Amino acid sequence: MPSSPAVSAEPIMLELVDEGGRTTGTAEKLSAHLAPGQLHRAFSVFLFDREGRLLLQRRAQGKYHSPGVWSNTCCGHPYPGEPPFLAATRRTVEELGAAPALLREAGTVSYHHPDPDSGLVEREYNHLFAGVLDAPLLPDPEEVGETAFVTPAELAERHASAPFSAWFMTVLDAARPGIREVTGPGAGW
């Protein structure tokens, strides 16, 4: 009786970029995160409810990179050639089961953050997005362990007492001007 061939998943490819965000090639996702890291395109989403509270997610324990830590609403990598705005919307729906009611660009930021727990490296040219979420959440448990809507003061308390992703403060600080445009001055961001 012949044996069936092993089924292997297609590797996930990332778009490599230069310091100006211009595409230079592709690399397999895990290899791009091995030290010293390869600069690649990424996105980070910050969604708020109508009261101006930020939706955080605690990454699922089964994630290969930064499991169980708190982070922004959604983050990830566009497929090669995929516009970052479309990738941000796609992954928000895939991870949280809800599409943003409003989503707008909030700038870009580059960084190089090693993750001491996994030994992996985030070396990213990150497209930032801020928006509003009105729909109920249906998080994918493979991606999201927990969610919480927080005010700036509640975020400060949580950040002081719980582990967050290595990139969180870098992307939050870079996105603040765009976040203020979405939430208004009264929300305190």
Side-chain angles (χ1 to χ4, degrees):
M1 176 171 181
S3 63
S4 60
V7 177
S8 63
E10 286 288 316
I12 296 172
M13 302 302 288
L14 303 185
E15 191 170 270
L16 301 179
V17 298
D18 65 16
E19 295 295 332
R22 291 174 294 274
T23 303
T24 60
T26 60
E28 189 277 324
K29 183 177 178 180
L30 183 58
S31 70
H33 290 90
L34 297 176
Q38 295 175 285
L39 186 61
H40 58 275
R41 194 173 309 283
F43 63 83
S44 290
V45 177
F46 296 87
L47 294 179
F48 298 82
D49 64 12
R50 293 291 177 178
E51 287 77 49
R53 297 178 304 161
L54 171 61
L55 175 59
L56 297 176
Q57 73 156 277
R58 188 174 57 78
R59 294 167 60 85
Q61 288 293 343
K63 301 281 278 184
Y64 80 98
H65 187 345
S66 302
V69 301
W70 287 95
S71 200
N72 48 291
T73 307
C74 179
C75 54
H77 308 94
Y79 296 126
E82 181 181 28
F85 183 89
L86 293 179
T89 303
R90 173 181 55 80
R91 284 302 293 161
T92 299
V93 171
E94 290 172 359
E95 289 187 15
L96 296 166
L102 167 76
L103 190 65
R104 64 169 41 164
E105 293 181 8
T108 59
V109 64
S110 292
Y111 52 82
H112 187 176
H113 289 299
D115 177 32
D117 293 330
S118 69
L120 298 175
V121 174
E122 287 293 359
R123 189 162 174 239
E124 296 185 329
Y125 184 90
N126 199 306
H127 297 260
L128 308 171
F129 298 94
V132 175
L133 184 69
D134 286 332
L137 299 175
L138 298 166
D140 177 351
E142 301 271 323
E143 299 287 339
V144 180
E146 186 178 351
T147 61
F149 280 97
V150 296
T151 65
E154 291 165 341
L155 173 60
E157 289 175 21
R158 188 179 297 253
H159 192 261
S161 63
F164 272 73
S165 63
W167 61 87
F168 177 75
M169 287 309 296
T170 300
V171 294
L172 176 62
D173 287 344
R176 282 185 196 272
I179 288 170
R180 288 185 195 111
E181 288 180 19
V182 168
T183 61
W189 295 103

